[in-house]
Structures are given as C-alpha cells and as structure tokens.
Amino acid sequence: MWYLKYKITIRLSSESIKEELKNMAGWTVVNNKLHKEFEFNDFNQAFGFMTRAAMHIEKINHHPEWFNVYNKITVDLTTHDAGGVTQNDINLAKILNSLE
C-alpha cells in the first residue's frame, strides 16, 4: 500500500503562509522558503539545538536546509516535491521554535 508510505503535500497560498507567520516568531519568507536565523550563546548550544531538532526531523521525515557557523544556524524550509511551502514546513518551523 504505497499511499500509506507517502504524504500528499500541497503548496500553501501566500495568504495562508502570511496567516501562519503571525504565530511563528522570527520566521519570514525568503526566496519562497520559510526562513529563520537562530543565534545561541556558543557552538555547544547551537549544536545541541541541531541534535534535539534532528530527533524530531527524523520522526516526521521532513528535512530542513540548514547551515551552521559557530553559534548561528540559518534554516530554510520548503517542500521540493510541492514546489514551495507546505503544512509540513509550517509544522517543522513550529517544532524548531519550541526547541529554542
């Protein structure tokens, strides 16, 4: 039953994304992706955040584009199969905010 394995994702409208962003501190849209820059006190805190996030990311099987330099992590979220931001990206952004 292949349909149990794969989620069907539909790209959200700009209006839907704007509405969701009202309740998502720090997130914006850059290049049609949800975007946020996290900053921590040091590398250990940044790496710890990424480690905690990785556990959730694997569970939902939705992986971010992220980049780490010392105490900063830049995150971009998009669903490539849908060609833009989906509810999966919104959900992951909320998870990441809860781990800050």
Side-chain angles (χ1 to χ4, degrees), residues 5 15 17 20 30 37 43 47 53 62-63 67 75 87:
K5 237 182 191 182
E15 295 79 25
I17 296 167
E20 289 283 359
V30 176
E37 296 177 9
F43 177 76
F47 193 83
H62 190 63
H63 301 84
F67 181 74
V75 179
Q87 191 61 48

Side-chain angles (χ1 to χ4, degrees), residues 4 22-23 34 79 90:
L4 295 177
K22 291 178 183 177
N23 299 313
L34 294 182
T79 303
I90 299 293

Side-chain angles (χ1 to χ4, degrees), residues 54-87:
M55 304 300 239
H56 295 277
I57 289 163
E58 280 298 304
K59 283 181 188 175
I60 65 172
N61 193 30
H62 190 63
H63 301 84
E65 298 174 7
W66 59 6
F67 181 74
N68 166 243
V69 175
Y70 184 59
N71 67 331
K72 295 179 182 157
I73 301 169
T74 302
V75 179
D76 289 306
L77 301 176
T78 188
T79 303
H80 296 283
D81 293 345
V85 175
T86 67
Q87 191 61 48

